[in-house]
């Protein structure tokens, strides 16, 4: 079913890759409820809704697209939901905001059923694709360094070296050393085994504890929040949430598209300039967004942490099927998942190493042609500095056609790039983000 031999992989490798991806991204089931709680949504509701959305999207990716890419509610989009959509509008409740997410999800599904998103992947210039892959690499490495305190905030320089004597930094550095040694020795499952070793060190040094037990039954205290598409549409129209729907669609399209290109490049799954089974893959996040909104979570996206599973050898949907199974398992082990995902030093070494692997795409960029190199550089630079894949892509999409026009090469640019350059300019200039 998953064509393991064709993809030069085995069941053991795929399962190990699934565990690796899961443990690098499972923090979302804890972080997402904390962020959406600021919008008034009950913690238990978002915890369960997050898992439902992740399972639906990732299962679709596994069974219909056969890619090792996991889907879950996106970071950044949840903050936009909580603080910009609900927080900045006194008359908009979280129920109304979920109606906007639901409508965005339905429009997203319609877009994904057409050839539009596939054409978009093919329209993105090769150098920008390499820039996206490298930018995502820098971004996730920066996340790993920041979450563990190895890199910290600075009042003047924005960032600085953190306290390397702190337990979190020491644990992360120790885990990084162990994982690198395993990888250099070509030991299979090095990333996952590195996480296990780091977790054991954390447990014996008292940083990881299970004071709240291991199991708890999942619940949906609010039931289903969005039931009727017509009512949801009326909520959007009555509250003039058109810009919100537009922002959700635009950001999610490029978050997911960028991540899929980056991960597919890393796994060697791209065929020339196109992604096979792109429509099935791109449907996964749109369907998950619509279902997630019905139960009470913000829009979903493809997870950049999937690249950790790819680095561990994942090449097929069996990896993402494993991730989906583990999310179902996590629904009944909330306290256990919360304890492990609350200690970022366990998963940070994997993110830092995968970031270095993805940076290899830089060597494929045509650096001696400024109109090709600078937009790619802008993407690489801005993704970690703005903490947004979509913003990095936006700046690349705006600068690329501009430089081509100046050089008189405007015919070399796909018409879709001009359209999205205008849309991105409008979003960055006039909409909250």
């Amino acid at each position: 079913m998953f064509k393991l031999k064709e993809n030069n992989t085995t069941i053991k490798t795929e399962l190990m890759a699934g565990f690796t991806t899961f443990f690098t991204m499972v923090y979302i089931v804890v972080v997402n409820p904390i962020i959406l709680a600021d919008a008034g949504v009950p913690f238990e509701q978002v915890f369960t809704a997050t898992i439902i959305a992740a399972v639906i999207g990732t299962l679709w990716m596994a069974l219909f697209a056969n890619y090792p890419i996991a889907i879950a509610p996106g970071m950044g989009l949840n903050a936009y939901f909580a603080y910009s959509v609900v927080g900045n509008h006194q008359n908009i409740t979280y129920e109304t905001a979920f109606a906007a997410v639901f409508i965005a999800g339905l429009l997203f599904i319609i877009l994904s059923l057409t050839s539009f998103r596939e054409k978009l992947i093919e329209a993105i210039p090769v150098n920008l694709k390499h820039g996206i892959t490298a930018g995502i690499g820098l971004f996730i490495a920066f996340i790993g360094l920041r979450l563990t305190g190895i890199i910290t905030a600075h009042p003047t320089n924005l960032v600085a070296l953190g306290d390397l004597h702190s337990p979190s930094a020491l644990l992360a550095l120790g885990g990084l050393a162990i994982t690198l040694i395993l990888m250099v020795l070509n030991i299979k499952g090095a990333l996952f085994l590195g996480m296990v070793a780091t977790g054991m060190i954390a447990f014996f040094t008292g940083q990881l504890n299970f004071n709240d037990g291991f199991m708890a039954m999942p619940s949906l205290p609010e039931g289903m929040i969005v039931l009727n598409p017509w009512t949801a549409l009326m909520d959007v129209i009555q509250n003039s949430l058109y810009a919100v729907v537009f922002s959700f669609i635009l950001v999610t399209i490029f978050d997911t598209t960028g991540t899929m290109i980056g991960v597919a490049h890393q796994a060697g799954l791209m065929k020339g300039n196109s992604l096979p089974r792109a429509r099935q893959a791109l449907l996964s996040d749109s369907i998950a967004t619509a279902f997630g909104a019905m139960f009470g979570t913000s829009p979903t996206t493809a997870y950049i942490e999937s690249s950790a599973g790819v680095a561990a050898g994942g090449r097929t949907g069996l990896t993402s099927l494993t991730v989906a199974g583990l999310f179902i398992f996590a629904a009944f082990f909330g306290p256990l998942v919360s304890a492990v995902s609350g200690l970022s030093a366990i998963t940070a070494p994997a993110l830092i190493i995968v970031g270095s692997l993805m940076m290899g795409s830089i060597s494929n960029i045509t650096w001696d042609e400024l109109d090709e190199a600078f937009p790619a550089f802008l993407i690489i630079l801005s993704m970690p500095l703005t903490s947004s894949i979509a913003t990095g892509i936006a700046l690349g999409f705006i600068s690329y056609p501009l430089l081509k026009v100046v050089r008189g090469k405007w015919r070399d640019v796909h018409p879709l790039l001009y359209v999205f350059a205008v849309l991105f300019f409008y979003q960055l200039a006039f909409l909250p983000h």
Side-chain angles (χ1 to χ4, degrees):
M1 177 180 178
F2 294 106
K3 299 182 173 63
L4 299 180
K5 284 186 180 177
E6 288 178 34
N7 288 284
N8 298 314
T9 185
T10 63
I11 291 174
K12 182 184 174 184
T13 300
E14 294 292 301
L15 293 177
M16 193 76 81
F19 272 88
T20 302
T21 294
F22 175 76
F23 280 110
T24 56
M25 67 178 287
V26 69
Y27 66 85
I28 193 61
V29 301
V30 178
V31 175
N32 201 42
I34 290 170
I35 291 173
L36 293 191
D38 289 343
V41 197
F43 185 97
E44 296 82 1
Q45 181 80 23
V46 187
F47 176 82
T48 307
T50 299
I51 289 173
I52 290 170
V55 169
I56 289 171
T58 307
L59 272 180
W60 187 282
M61 183 70 76
L63 301 176
F64 296 100
N66 196 25
Y67 284 134
I69 299 171
I71 304 291
M75 289 295 292
L77 289 166
N78 49 12
Y80 175 67
F81 177 99
Y83 306 121
S84 294
V85 180
V86 179
N88 284 347
H89 302 88
Q90 290 183 344
N91 60 323
I92 294 177
T93 62
Y94 66 79
E95 292 92 346
T96 304
F98 281 131
V101 176
F102 180 69
I103 295 301
L106 292 182
L107 293 172
F108 210 16
I109 291 171
I110 293 167
L111 276 177
S112 300
L113 285 169
T114 68
S115 59
F116 169 76
R117 291 183 75 185
E118 291 174 77
K119 283 194 167 70
L120 180 59
I121 288 177
E122 292 169 14
I124 300 174
V126 174
N127 282 296
L128 293 195
K129 283 179 178 165
H130 291 310
I132 289 167
T133 305
I136 289 172
L138 264 186
F139 183 23
I140 63 173
F142 180 66
I143 289 171
L145 292 167
R146 182 174 55 82
L147 290 177
T148 52
I150 295 172
I151 295 294
T152 190
H154 189 278
T156 307
N157 297 326
L158 299 183
V159 290
L161 186 66
D163 178 11
L164 299 186
H165 299 281
S166 71
S168 176
L170 285 171
L171 181 62
L173 291 170
L176 184 61
I178 292 168
T179 311
L180 282 170
I181 290 167
L182 292 174
M183 290 195 74
V184 169
L185 294 175
N186 290 321
I187 293 172
K188 287 214 166 189
L191 286 173
F192 177 66
L193 293 174
M195 280 192 277
V196 172
T198 311
M200 289 175 67
I201 294 169
F203 180 75
F204 288 114
T205 55
Q207 295 181 62
L208 178 63
N209 58 67
F210 305 101
N211 296 334
D212 296 327
F214 295 93
M215 292 188 70
M217 285 298 291
S219 64
L220 283 167
E222 302 282 315
M224 287 183 71
I225 292 175
V226 180
L227 281 168
N228 189 325
W230 181 250
T231 306
L233 181 61
M234 288 300 101
D235 282 344
V236 169
I237 293 170
Q238 286 168 11
N239 292 280
S240 301
L241 295 177
Y242 311 112
V244 171
V245 171
F246 171 73
S247 288
F248 278 141
I249 290 174
L250 195 62
V251 172
T252 310
I253 280 178
F254 284 95
D255 249 357
T256 300
T257 304
T259 300
M260 284 189 187
I261 288 170
V263 176
H265 255 300
Q266 184 195 358
L269 300 171
M270 296 286 286
K271 301 295 182 200
N273 211 30
S274 63
L275 181 67
R277 304 181 303 283
R279 189 174 301 183
Q280 295 91 319
L282 294 164
L283 265 169
S284 58
D285 65 324
S286 49
I287 288 170
T289 292
F291 274 98
M294 292 170 72
F295 289 97
T297 186
S298 46
T300 60
T301 184
Y303 256 63
I304 54 177
E305 285 83 356
S306 303
S307 53
V310 167
R315 291 296 179 271
T316 73
L318 185 54
T319 294
S320 35
L321 180 65
T322 305
V323 175
L326 289 169
F327 267 114
I328 295 171
F329 180 79
F332 299 93
F333 287 85
L336 172 64
V337 169
S338 178
V340 174
S341 63
L343 193 60
S344 55
I346 294 174
T347 55
L351 297 181
I352 295 164
I353 291 168
V354 170
S356 75
L357 297 175
M358 295 184 77
M359 280 294 290
S361 291
I362 278 187
S363 63
N364 298 313
I365 295 171
T366 313
W367 289 108
D368 54 353
E369 293 182 27
L370 194 59
D371 55 331
E372 291 284 341
F374 187 79
F377 164 75
L378 208 51
I379 290 172
I380 295 166
L381 182 70
S382 56
M383 277 187 188
L385 294 184
T386 63
S387 295
S388 169
I389 293 170
T391 301
I393 293 172
L395 294 173
F397 267 45
I398 293 168
S399 59
Y400 188 87
L402 280 174
L403 291 176
K404 288 294 181 184
V405 168
V406 170
R407 282 203 68 182
K409 293 183 175 181
W410 59 272
R411 289 186 187 84
D412 295 349
V413 181
H414 195 286
L416 270 178
L417 249 65
Y418 288 114
V419 173
F420 277 101
V422 173
L423 291 176
F424 271 129
F425 178 79
Y426 173 76
Q427 191 225 4
L428 292 176
F430 301 108
L431 296 180
H433 45 80

